[in-house]
Amino acid sequence: MSTLKYGIMGGTFNPIHYAHLFIAEEVLDNFKLDKILFMPTGTPPHKQNINIDAFHRYTMTKLAVSNNPNFLVSDLEVLNSNVSYSVDTIRKLKLNHPDIEFYFITGTDAILELPTWKEPRELLSLCKFVSVNRPNYVDENLVNKINIIKNNLGGEIFLLNGHDINLSSTQIRQRVREGKTVRYLLPDSVNDYILKNKLYV
């Protein structure tokens, strides 16, 4: 039986929006994955000032992916009361699902910081990485920098270009604070949830 291939789409998703969903679909298609597992963070090590409860972020993510059978949501990090490190999360996933090959999806800026993550060599031995180039991010030495990381730490890192949707959760939160519409920037179900629960105001 062939091994299943799952993408891990981690993030604060504060809130989740169409760029997140498009990236997930793009990786699913390009790497012929079986599923994308969205992993909302509980307490991430690099973003300590999150003013929205993890439950809200998890619920919005569930709402956003509910109509796509290839998208799943995990509460593994949300239920973790301690700081969530990627290597610990992947260890748990591999322990619970030894038959699944995992592809960790993240932005190019995060990939270049990979050597500073907790146990990066171990992490790269547990899963493959997909580096998604962010809009307006230009680095002529990017491929060389990624090759240096691979040579130093081992593992496989793939670079996916072509993502040009210039949209961020920061922009959406700012628009909500200013009383501006965010419709068509994220799924209607997420927009309705934000309005109902008076988030970001």
Side-chain angles (χ1 to χ4, degrees):
M1 187 174 67
S2 60
T3 302
L4 292 173
K5 299 195 296 184
Y6 277 30
I8 303 295
M9 185 83 172
T12 52
F13 301 125
N14 190 29
I16 190 167
H17 51 70
Y18 278 132
H20 293 130
L21 300 172
F22 177 78
I23 290 169
E25 186 70 19
E26 186 85 337
V27 173
L28 183 86
D29 181 59
N30 276 268
F31 293 91
K32 309 303 178 192
L33 306 184
D34 296 286
K35 303 283 183 183
I36 298 291
L37 183 63
F38 286 78
M39 183 77 64
T41 54
T43 305
H46 302 298
K47 292 184 180 181
Q48 299 292 354
N49 298 317
I50 299 176
N51 61 352
I52 295 298
D53 188 270
F55 170 78
H56 285 308
R57 295 183 289 103
Y58 172 77
T59 303
M60 287 189 286
T61 306
K62 290 275 286 185
L63 289 169
V65 309
S66 61
N67 63 348
N68 189 330
N70 295 321
F71 289 175
L72 307 170
V73 184
S74 171
D75 60 4
L76 187 60
E77 290 196 351
V78 168
L79 296 178
N80 180 14
S81 59
N82 299 315
V83 173
S84 296
Y85 291 98
S86 298
V87 66
D88 298 325
T89 298
I90 298 298
R91 278 197 191 106
K92 291 176 184 175
L93 287 172
K94 293 289 289 184
L95 185 64
N96 294 331
H97 308 282
D99 57 330
I100 296 178
E101 184 176 38
F102 291 104
Y103 289 67
F104 195 107
I105 306 161
T106 190
T108 300
D109 48 349
I111 283 288
L112 297 180
E113 295 294 324
L114 195 54
T116 70
W117 291 21
K118 180 183 177 182
E119 300 177 50
R121 190 181 299 276
E122 172 72 8
L123 181 56
L124 278 159
S125 73
L126 294 171
C127 65
K128 299 177 181 179
F129 269 77
V130 177
S131 170
V132 180
N133 209 9
R134 298 185 186 278
N136 304 321
Y137 185 93
V138 179
D139 187 340
E140 295 179 357
N141 296 315
L142 179 59
V143 173
N144 186 48
K145 289 178 180 177
I146 289 177
N147 284 335
I148 290 173
I149 292 172
K150 288 194 293 185
N151 290 337
N152 289 339
L153 298 175
E156 294 181 74
I157 303 173
F158 304 102
L159 181 61
L160 180 64
N161 290 308
H163 162 47
D164 55 2
I165 300 178
N166 196 1
L167 176 61
S168 73
S169 297
T170 302
Q171 293 170 334
I172 291 174
R173 293 195 302 271
Q174 183 64 32
R175 288 185 66 87
V176 174
R177 278 195 295 268
E178 294 172 355
K180 296 179 180 178
T181 181
V182 293
R183 194 175 184 189
Y184 303 123
L185 299 180
L186 36 67
D188 285 344
S189 57
V190 177
N191 186 34
D192 292 342
Y193 187 88
I194 291 171
L195 294 173
K196 179 181 177 182
N197 292 278
K198 297 181 173 57
L199 303 183
Y200 311 119
V201 296

